[in-house]
Amino acid sequence: MNPTGQNAERREQDPAAMTAEITHTASLEALLAAPCPDFPVLPGVCVLEYLRASAEATPPAPGLRWHAVDRVRFVGPVFPGEELTVRLTWQRSGEDEWTGLATASTVRGTAASARLRYVGEADR
């Protein structure tokens, strides 16, 4: 689940927040399509993995590691082969802690949103 575009757009809004956008092409392995061969859809856990991979491809600070998914909401399907655009806004939520507010969208609109928490070296 690598980003299709290696040059993610990054804009610094202020010292405590930054935004990145990455576009993926959703894939669906044959095993995952088997339960619904007439209506293949990317499982929610795979969409969440795209959100996590996007966050880790564009960290706001060095040395961060994933700590928790504070919230996730799935609101629309993602079909195999579709482009999935992840927009991520980082916010500092502690001295060595960052929260990534991530939204995954397709051409039909929002597919999922999540709040991902990352911690740095001091919290290890």
Side-chain angles (χ1 to χ4, degrees):
M1 294 187 186
N2 295 324
T4 57
Q6 292 299 318
N7 297 325
E9 178 184 338
R10 295 178 76 161
R11 293 187 302 269
E12 191 168 327
Q13 296 174 337
D14 62 54
M18 63 170 45
T19 300
E21 190 170 288
I22 296 177
T23 299
H24 303 269
T25 299
S27 62
L28 186 64
E29 292 80 5
L31 289 174
L32 297 176
C36 303
D38 296 333
F39 189 70
V41 64
L42 198 66
V45 70
C46 293
V47 175
L48 182 58
E49 174 62 13
Y50 280 116
L51 296 174
R52 186 205 56 79
S54 297
E56 292 181 6
T58 60
L64 293 178
R65 66 177 172 84
W66 174 75
H67 184 72
V69 176
D70 289 333
R71 157 186 85 68
V72 65
R73 183 173 183 200
F74 301 103
V75 295
V78 178
F79 299 110
E82 283 190 319
E83 283 194 350
L84 185 68
T85 300
V86 175
R87 183 167 178 80
L88 182 70
T89 300
W90 287 103
Q91 298 176 340
R92 185 178 294 276
S93 52
E95 185 173 325
D96 205 15
E97 186 172 297
W98 289 80
T99 299
L101 305 173
T103 303
S105 302
T106 66
V107 294
R108 287 179 314 287
T110 302
S113 62
R115 183 181 312 268
L116 310 171
R117 193 168 5 128
Y118 284 79
V119 296
E121 296 292 329
D123 292 328
R124 286 187 182 212

